[in-house]
């Protein structure tokens, strides 16, 4: 297969290589990072070398645990496409192929060199062949696939099933020349509410906003404190956080890279009232796109809405630093609608060669799992309300 045009390189045959351990991933680190830079964005942060290698370092390698399966396509010694997957489960029981990172990975995608866009179909065929050559898997599960992405196109080519529809909420920042212009463009009621929240929170101490990077001493302890805040929020609101509760999750997050000069990688937006941390947001910068990965706040200050105050300050910081998008990720919610001006549709795709895979995809992923999650959250909320009511009755009895 030959290719040459006015803008792209000469290419011979497309060759596939599958990486099945961290050492193999490390061996192509420079090629992987170079491919990312050529692609720039496209909702592909969770396919970056930094994310995938760090996740593999913390969560793969144990007996019976997930194993990397990174499909790569090369042309003339140049890496032109990459699909980070992992194998999990047990052959003969339920053997899965899924996005590397599992529940921690918010978007499933592939990276394809834009210089090779006209070879997208043969590249997709090579990647799919690598998937099916992996062996007798029961189900290939790809969650959070953006509409119009290279992976969505490839899944349509593979005639895979769509089991769940979702959406991500995004705020396009390109229309604001400055943070002041953004604030001035808000509605009168929005500005009033945001000023009221700031003033209310400031009663607890002067507001201070800063952005921390992984090479700063305060980064790791602040991130661990944010995880504690987030876990308390889950408890107080009766929600589930399976990825958050996974052992080693905090160590994984603190091991991520970030760079202030290039505005890339992990960073923490920190809002303080005096010396007290009121809210923290962990985000990822990649190709001018900011992924709002985890927000947390001091529950004891919840009536002052510290999280919303921090979000506004983060958005203003992003605008003033030339970032194009503030991405609130999947699962629509009322508060996300008030912070976004566009959405991206997401799909969950499954490929199910076996009856076990079909049962898992249709019975568990599409039906039982969402219902169980809703039921557990409703039960947890009712139990929390019952506990609160019981405490209130106890106080009345004690005071009587």
């Amino acid at each position: 297969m030959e290719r040459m045009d006015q803008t792209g390189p000469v290419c011979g045959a497309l060759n596939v290589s599958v990486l099945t351990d961290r050492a193999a991933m490390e061996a192509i680190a420079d090629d992987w990072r170079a491919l990312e830079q050529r692609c720039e964005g496209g909702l592909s942060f969770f396919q970056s070398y930094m994310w995938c290698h760090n996740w593999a370092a913390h969560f793969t390698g144990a007996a019976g645990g997930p194993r990397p399966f990174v499909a790569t396509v090369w042309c003339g010694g140049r890496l032109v496409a990459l699909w980070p997957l992992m194998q999990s489960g047990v052959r003969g029981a339920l053997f899965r192929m899924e996005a590397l990172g599992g529940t921690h990975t918010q978007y499933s995608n592939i990276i394809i060199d834009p210089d090779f866009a006209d070879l997208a179909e043969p590249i997709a065929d090579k990647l799919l062949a690598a998937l099916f050559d992996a062996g007798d898997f029961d189900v290939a599960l790809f969650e959070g696939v953006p509409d119009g992405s290279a992976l969505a196109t490839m899944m349509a080519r593979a005639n895979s099933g769509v089991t769940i529809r979702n959406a991500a909420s995004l705020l396009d920042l390109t229309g604001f020349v400055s943070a002041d212009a953004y604030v001035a463009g808000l509605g009168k009621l929005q500005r009033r509410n945001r000023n009221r929240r700031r003033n209310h929170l400031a009663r607890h101490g002067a507001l201070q906003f800063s952005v921390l990077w992984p090479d700063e001493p305060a980064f790791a302890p602040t991130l661990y404190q944010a995880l504690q805040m987030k876990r308390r929020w889950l408890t107080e609101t009766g929600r589930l956080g399976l990825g958050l509760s996974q052992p080693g999750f905090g160590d994984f997050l603190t091991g991520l890279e970030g760079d202030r000069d290039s505005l890339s990688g992990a960073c923490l937006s920190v809002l303080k009232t005096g010396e007290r941390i009121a809210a923290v947001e962990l985000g990822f910068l990649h190709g001018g796109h900011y992924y709002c990965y985890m927000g947390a706040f001091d529950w004891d200050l919840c009536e002052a809405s510290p999280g919303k105050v921090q979000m506004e300050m983060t958005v203003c910081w992003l605008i003033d630093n030339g970032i194009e998008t503030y991405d609130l990720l999947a699962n629509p919610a009322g508060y996300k609608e008030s912070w976004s001006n566009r959405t991206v549709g997401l799909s969950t795709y499954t490929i199910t060669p076996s009856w076990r895979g079909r049962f898992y995809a249709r019975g568990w992923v599409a039906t039982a799992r969402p219902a169980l999650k809703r039921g557990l959250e409703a039960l947890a909320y009712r139990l929390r309300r019952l506990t609160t009511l019981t405490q209130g009755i106890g106080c009345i009895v004690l005071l009587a």
Side-chain angles (χ1 to χ4, degrees):
M1 183 181 300
E2 297 291 334
R3 173 188 183 274
M4 182 173 67
D5 57 33
Q6 294 180 349
T7 59
V10 177
C11 179
L14 295 173
N15 300 305
V16 176
S17 175
V18 176
L19 319 178
T20 57
D21 56 43
R22 283 164 43 209
M25 295 167 69
E26 291 165 1
I28 69 158
D30 291 342
D31 300 281
W32 193 330
R33 293 183 189 274
L35 176 61
E36 292 173 39
Q37 292 176 359
R38 293 196 297 273
C39 294
E40 287 193 354
L43 299 181
S44 60
F45 169 78
F46 297 100
Q47 288 68 52
S48 68
Y49 176 79
M50 186 263 283
W51 175 267
C52 293
H53 178 262
N54 192 51
W55 196 91
H58 284 84
F59 298 111
T60 66
R67 301 167 297 284
F69 186 94
V70 182
T72 63
V73 179
W74 300 77
C75 190
R78 174 170 169 172
L79 179 62
V80 299
L82 184 139
W83 192 13
L85 303 176
M86 66 183 186
Q87 302 170 321
S88 58
V90 179
R91 294 185 189 275
L94 183 72
F95 191 60
R96 300 190 305 274
M97 300 289 291
E98 55 192 309
L100 183 62
T103 57
H104 298 146
T105 290
Q106 298 297 298
Y107 292 130
S108 296
N109 215 335
I110 58 179
I111 309 176
I112 296 182
D113 191 324
D115 288 342
F116 291 78
D118 57 339
L119 292 179
E121 289 189 1
I123 287 173
D125 290 341
K126 291 286 186 180
L127 291 172
L128 287 170
L131 172 67
F132 286 106
D133 288 345
D136 188 23
F137 64 89
D138 296 295
V139 59
L141 171 67
F142 310 110
E143 301 185 270
V145 180
D147 289 352
S149 66
L151 183 54
T153 301
M154 193 167 77
M155 288 296 100
R157 189 172 176 81
N159 295 317
S160 62
V162 179
T163 57
I164 298 174
R165 286 288 294 168
N166 202 337
S169 302
L170 297 87
L171 175 61
D172 185 346
L173 305 177
T174 57
F176 309 110
V177 295
S178 67
D180 290 340
Y182 164 71
V183 174
L186 297 173
K188 184 177 180 180
L189 180 60
Q190 282 181 305
R191 289 199 304 272
R192 183 187 304 129
N193 287 338
R194 294 189 182 192
N195 288 333
R196 176 182 52 79
R197 286 195 291 263
R198 282 197 185 208
N199 293 335
H200 191 182
L201 186 60
R203 295 173 187 171
H204 297 274
L207 301 186
Q208 305 173 57
F209 176 80
S210 63
V211 177
L212 294 176
W213 299 86
D215 61 352
E216 298 180 60
F219 182 88
T222 303
L223 181 49
Y224 283 118
Q225 185 173 345
L227 285 171
Q228 292 176 350
M229 290 178 175
K230 190 69 173 183
R231 287 166 181 146
R232 182 179 177 188
W233 176 81
L234 290 171
T235 300
E236 296 285 353
T237 59
R239 289 178 169 85
L240 299 175
L242 297 180
L244 197 70
S245 62
Q246 187 169 350
F249 184 54
D251 294 339
F252 159 64
L253 293 179
T254 57
L256 294 171
E257 302 168 8
D259 181 66
R260 180 187 296 274
D261 293 335
S262 61
L263 292 176
S264 62
C267 61
L268 288 176
S269 299
V270 183
L271 174 62
K272 290 184 177 181
T273 56
E275 295 303 314
R276 177 180 184 178
I277 293 180
V280 181
E281 181 175 293
L282 171 64
F284 307 128
L285 286 160
H286 187 70
H289 192 104
Y290 175 86
Y291 301 79
C292 175
Y293 190 71
M294 184 188 75
F297 62 87
D298 185 338
W299 182 260
D300 293 332
L301 298 174
C302 62
E303 292 185 359
S305 302
K308 292 181 179 179
V309 176
Q310 168 266 306
M311 288 176 69
E312 180 183 357
M313 292 182 172
T314 300
V315 167
C316 290
W317 180 85
L318 292 170
I319 293 171
D320 284 342
N321 281 275
I323 304 304
E324 297 178 352
T325 309
Y326 182 68
D327 188 344
L328 291 134
L329 303 179
N331 302 318
Y335 84 93
K336 290 187 179 183
E337 291 181 7
S338 67
W339 286 92
S340 61
N341 53 21
R342 69 184 181 95
T343 59
V344 172
L346 304 173
S347 295
T348 293
Y349 291 92
T350 56
I351 299 174
T352 54
S354 75
W355 68 267
R356 285 185 296 266
R358 289 188 289 274
F359 179 79
Y360 178 81
R362 300 170 188 173
W364 173 248
V365 174
T367 306
R369 186 177 66 177
L372 180 61
K373 181 179 179 180
R374 290 192 299 269
L376 288 174
E377 288 181 351
L379 177 61
Y381 178 74
R382 286 195 295 269
L383 289 174
R384 184 171 63 85
R385 291 296 300 271
L386 179 61
T387 301
T388 302
L389 176 61
T390 303
Q391 291 173 343
I393 294 173
C395 289
I396 292 173
V397 171
L398 289 173
L399 293 172

